Amino acid sequence: MKWNLEGLALLAASLTCAAPVHAQSATPAPGNETIDVAQLFATTCGWCHSDGGRAAGKGPQLMNTTRDDDYLRDRIKHGKSGAMPAFGETFSDAQIDQIIKYIRQLKPHEG
Ligand code: HEC
């Protein structure tokens, strides 16, 4: 094959495809794998959002939050200076969606 500009562009395109740039893609790209949010709260978020987000710690209770999805997404992505670390580098948008879904379905413990 003779290398020309078109070939290089194709090569570049196929290389970038390895990165999770296809938000619409049916198969989850690396970084879009499902995460265990309950586990995440047990390890990472639970320092400040106690009992899996059901109770306040250093941060507010997340269960029954009156904030909308955009607010929650923004807080998780960007954190708040001096209050909560930013997790935008840690999680993909799809994973943050999962976290929001988890928060929405939180219920008090049975019994
Ligand atoms: C170091 C403590 C700390 C950690 C760790 C932490 N948070 Fe927070 N979080 C806070 C504080 C404090 C606030 C309130 C910020 C404010 O004043 O708006 C907050 C706010 C939030 C909010 C907005 C809720 C609301 O009603 O204002 C969400 C959602 C949230 N955190 C999710 C998470 C998730 C998910 C994790 C783990 C990936 C996490 N937090 C880890 C301290 C923390």
Side-chain angles (χ1 to χ4, degrees), residues 41-57:
F41 267 85
T43 54
T44 310
C45 320
W47 299 102
C48 303
H49 302 285
S50 300
D51 198 8
R54 290 176 187 84

Side-chain angles (χ1 to χ4, degrees), residues 11-66:
L11 180 68
S14 65
L15 285 176
T16 35
C17 276
V21 285
H22 296 295
Q24 307 296 324
S25 140
T27 36
N32 277 352
E33 303 125 4
T34 345
I35 45 170
D36 185 339
V37 187
Q39 183 63 32
L40 179 72
F41 267 85
T43 54
T44 310
C45 320
W47 299 102
C48 303
H49 302 285
S50 300
D51 198 8
R54 290 176 187 84
K58 281 203 276 180
Q61 172 185 320
L62 299 177
M63 180 173 67
N64 296 334
T65 179
T66 53

Side-chain angles (χ1 to χ4, degrees), residues 1 3-4 11 18 45 47 49 62 76 80-81 83:
M1 174 179 169
W3 288 106
N4 53 25
L11 180 68
C45 320
W47 299 102
H49 302 285
L62 299 177
I76 296 169
K80 184 167 172 178
S81 174

